[in-house]
Amino acid sequence: MPKAPSPMPPINTNSSESDVALLSRVAEGDQVAMATLFDRYGGMVYSVAFRVVRDQRAAEDLLQDVFFQLWRNPESYLSSRGSLGAWLLVISRNRAIDVIRRRRPMESIDDYPISSKENLASKIEQSAMMHKVRSVLTVLPLEQRNALELAYFEGLSQSEIAARTGDPLGTVKTRIRLALISLRKALQA
């Protein structure tokens, strides 16, 4: 009796194949390529979704939605804008935030930070901000700068600063307040 042919070729999830190559295969309807991408990034997508929505069922739904979008429209990913992993991470976070907003529309998206190997923040903005802070600190009166440094860099309470410097507590509070007002004005300018 002859052996019946196998209805599907054996699955070969070659993990060394590039994301771009896998996406081009997905665009042609290749389910094996899609499975490889799911194996590669599914855990990350689920983790981000769960961290934001804090609900297993909702995180699983988001995981399915993100990969279903990738299956339906693999061309929506542009390799010139970054890695596929980072793109999926952002989509997962945005979808999860949408779920949260539907639950509690007044909640800030800043309450849901993400961690990523990709540098998503602008280093130029950070550098400019640090430059402003340093320049303001150098022009502050010495007493204000010392009080601020003791509070924020050494973690001392206002009472501890007063004890260390020998200044009255009210003076220490005023110096810190004036220093913070100067910093705020400089950063808002």
Side-chain angles (χ1 to χ4, degrees):
M1 182 178 221
K3 189 174 180 183
S6 173
M8 294 204 35
I11 294 177
N12 178 12
T13 56
N14 181 359
S15 63
S16 65
E17 193 170 2
S18 75
D19 292 341
V20 174
L22 288 168
L23 280 174
S24 68
R25 288 177 41 204
V26 167
E28 297 169 358
D30 187 334
Q31 294 177 3
V32 174
M34 188 66 201
T36 302
L37 288 173
F38 185 84
D39 289 344
R40 193 175 287 176
Y41 296 110
M44 177 190 70
V45 169
Y46 175 81
S47 176
V48 168
F50 184 77
R51 191 175 312 156
V52 174
V53 297
R54 296 183 178 118
D55 177 74
Q56 180 182 354
R57 195 176 235 162
E60 289 170 354
D61 289 344
L62 285 167
L63 171 70
Q64 183 177 356
D65 288 345
V66 168
F67 279 96
F68 189 65
Q69 175 188 344
L70 186 62
W71 173 254
R72 278 192 326 236
N73 191 9
E75 297 84 15
S76 61
Y77 165 70
L78 301 174
S79 61
S80 62
R81 291 189 167 180
S83 72
L84 178 63
W87 182 74
L88 288 169
L89 181 97
V90 170
I91 288 177
S92 303
R93 178 179 181 265
N94 291 346
R95 293 261 177 106
I97 289 170
D98 289 343
V99 167
I100 294 297
R101 283 183 178 156
R102 283 191 292 271
R103 286 186 204 159
R104 293 170 273 172
M106 301 307 290
E107 198 162 325
S108 169
I109 62 170
D110 294 332
D111 295 338
Y112 300 98
I114 58 171
S115 61
S116 170
K117 293 179 184 175
E118 302 288 325
N119 183 4
L120 303 177
S122 169
K123 289 193 180 242
I124 295 171
E125 287 180 29
Q126 289 175 345
S127 177
M129 180 76 72
M130 289 307 298
H131 180 70
K132 272 187 178 181
V133 169
R134 284 187 194 111
S135 65
V136 172
L137 284 175
T138 60
V139 298
L140 284 176
L142 183 61
E143 297 84 16
Q144 288 180 17
R145 183 176 21 166
N146 287 341
L148 196 64
E149 287 174 349
L150 289 171
Y152 287 93
F153 299 125
E154 293 190 29
L156 299 179
S157 70
Q158 293 174 343
S159 300
E160 291 170 331
I161 295 169
R164 183 182 284 187
T165 61
D167 295 325
L169 180 59
T171 302
V172 170
K173 289 181 178 185
T174 300
R175 287 178 179 161
I176 292 174
R177 184 176 55 80
L178 291 173
L180 289 174
I181 289 170
S182 297
L183 274 173
R184 185 180 304 126
K185 285 180 182 177
L187 294 176
Q188 290 175 348

